[in-house]
Amino acid sequence: MEERLDRVLAHLGLGTRKEVGKLIRAGAVRVDGAVVRDRGFKLDPQRARIELHGEPLAFARHYHVLLHKPAGVVTATRSEHEPTVLDLLPNALWRDDLRPVGRLDKPTEGLLLLTTDGELLHRLTHPRWKVAKVYLAELEAPLPPDARERFAAGIAGFAPAELEVLAPQRARVTLREGKHRQVRRMFATLGTPVVYLRRERFGPLALEGLAPGEARPLFEGELAALYEAVGLEP
Ligand code: URA
């Protein structure tokens, strides 16, 4: 079924009809390879290839948002007393059926995916799929010389994890499970408590380009890679 371009883009979460109208007039949107500056242009969203600033957009039943969670915000959909990750989303990206995929502690920053797809959420957080999560940690004390080996062997009862030592008090850790406060507990066991923690990657998704508090919908390539990582079709 054909729909107006501004409606399609607004449904994708790119802004209000007025906001997406500005993007269209500015020449930021291509449909099937050609720039379209008419916001009332008719297209079939299931068939047309839509690009924003040269990046193909995903049009799917479900909706997904990538957020750079800042510190001080809770990973929940509602809270009486504290700001939640959903409160951070601009109106244009907010939907009441978005759910966070996994959890980042209140003081932890970084990449948080929100999705309306329950099956995707379930698989991304289920240990069977071993989705890699990469964290950057700054530590209160220098790491012991055997830190890498101890992470690789499995520390504090957790599954083996990769540790890349970047400086005596700075390291990148890759996990394939996601237990409560896992990174903090792992480093605490080494005697090097975490003073700053940021998630840089989640499966095929990376935080690059998003400042703390910023959010955007997924691009088509990211979406395909995400579904593929857990054996689903987008
Ligand atoms: N591990 C932690 O300790 N905290 C997080 O927020 C995520 C992983």
Side-chain angles (χ1 to χ4, degrees):
M1 210 183 82
E2 297 218 313
E3 277 189 66
R4 287 173 60 101
L5 180 59
D6 57 357
R7 261 184 82 90
V8 171
L9 295 182
H11 276 158
L12 281 172
L14 294 176
T16 60
R17 296 267 291 269
K18 195 162 158 209
E19 285 162 351
V20 301
K22 281 193 197 149
L23 287 172
I24 297 168
R25 267 199 310 282
V29 180
R30 284 172 185 264
V31 178
D32 294 328
V35 172
V36 174
R37 290 178 194 268
D38 170 10
R39 55 190 287 184
F41 180 85
K42 290 281 180 65
L43 73 160
D44 178 347
Q46 304 291 346
R47 289 165 197 261
R49 182 180 159 84
I50 310 174
E51 288 165 71
L52 175 67
H53 301 303
E55 290 277 358
L57 294 170
F59 188 87
R61 278 176 305 131
H62 285 295
Y63 175 57
H64 324 268
V65 172
L66 209 59
L67 170 71
H68 186 157
K69 177 192 165 309
V73 174
V74 293
T75 306
T77 49
R78 57 175 68 90
S79 162
E80 297 254 311
H81 308 292
E82 296 179 294
T84 72
V85 289
L86 273 188
D87 294 333
L88 290 179
L89 300 183
N91 282 348
L93 292 182
W94 186 88
R95 265 177 57 165
D96 72 346
D97 52 349
L98 275 173
R99 296 288 173 267
V101 178
R103 193 167 286 270
L104 291 178
D105 304 333
K106 188 170 165 187
T108 301
E109 292 185 10
L111 191 159
L112 185 71
L113 176 70
L114 298 129
T115 183
T116 60
D117 186 342
E119 179 61 21
L120 178 72
L121 187 155
H122 172 72
R123 292 201 186 191
L124 286 171
T125 49
H126 195 285
R128 167 170 173 208
W129 296 96
K130 296 190 167 40
V131 174
K133 292 147 208 111
V134 181
Y135 295 86
L136 179 75
E138 295 194 358
L139 311 163
E140 199 178 288
L143 284 160
D146 61 352
R148 217 172 129 252
E149 288 71 28
R150 289 174 67 188
F151 268 62
I155 195 167
F158 294 114
E162 288 152 44
L163 186 74
E164 185 190 348
V165 179
L166 303 169
Q169 291 179 220
R170 194 162 209 256
R172 184 170 285 128
V173 54
T174 303
L175 309 180
R176 288 188 172 71
E177 56 181 357
K179 305 231 168 92
H180 184 57
R181 296 176 68 83
Q182 180 164 348
V183 175
R184 292 175 193 277
R185 286 158 66 197
M186 290 166 108
F187 282 108
T189 304
L190 284 187
T192 57
V194 167
V195 292
Y196 170 81
L197 188 60
R198 179 170 79 221
R199 181 152 70 191
E200 295 182 323
R201 297 191 70 93
F202 182 81
L205 308 177
L207 189 61
E208 281 143 32
L210 277 185
E214 276 183 0
R216 64 164 172 83
L218 289 189
F219 292 120
E220 201 174 83
E222 293 174 322
L223 186 81
L226 193 64
Y227 275 78
E228 193 186 328
V230 291
L232 290 173
E233 298 263 321

